[in-house]
Amino acid sequence: MVIRTSSSKEIEKLVARLRDGSPVQREAAIARLRVIGARAIDRLVALLRAPAPAIVHASALKALEGIDDVRSRDLALESLKAPTPAVAAAAVAALRQRLGSDPLVLDAITGLA
């Protein structure tokens, strides 16, 4: 029997790489967080709501891109109002897959334009 470490410990390590890692480590963490999916959203929410450099917030939004969960949509919608263009652009990218099926997303993106 294989004993796996809990996903919460792995998520913590990956979120730390989003905050403090090199660009390569950040991209690897983004990919892994997408695979973990909805289990990572609470930590990504906390990261996006905490003060951090724009690159960290944009990276967290990139991780949300691949997670199909209403909480990720809501978080990306909130991030559209970010004063930093890189963060707002990452929020648009995170919402892109919902553009044709979610009127709230369409309205928000249209309003932004």
Side-chain angles (χ1 to χ4, degrees):
M1 174 200 278
V2 176
I3 298 174
R4 297 185 60 190
T5 59
S6 80
S7 63
S8 65
K9 288 181 183 179
E10 181 181 7
I11 292 167
E12 288 298 322
K13 288 178 185 176
L14 294 168
V15 168
R17 286 188 187 134
L18 290 182
R19 277 194 312 266
D20 305 321
S22 70
V24 171
Q25 289 173 324
R26 230 182 238 124
E27 288 300 318
I30 288 166
R32 184 66 190 129
L33 287 164
R34 285 179 179 172
V35 170
I36 291 171
R39 293 175 291 162
I41 289 179
D42 290 337
R43 288 298 301 132
L44 292 170
V45 167
L47 181 61
L48 280 163
R49 292 201 171 135
I55 187 68
V56 173
H57 286 170
S59 296
L61 287 162
K62 278 181 82 173
L64 288 176
E65 268 184 67
I67 302 174
D68 186 23
D69 186 288
V70 72
R71 295 173 296 168
S72 66
R73 181 205 64 187
D74 294 344
L75 195 54
L77 285 170
E78 288 175 31
S79 297
L80 285 174
K81 300 172 188 159
T84 308
V87 175
V92 170
L95 293 167
R96 183 179 28 221
Q97 71 186 27
R98 299 174 184 271
L99 200 52
S101 62
D102 190 328
L104 187 61
V105 171
L106 181 61
D107 288 346
I109 301 271
T110 303
L112 184 64

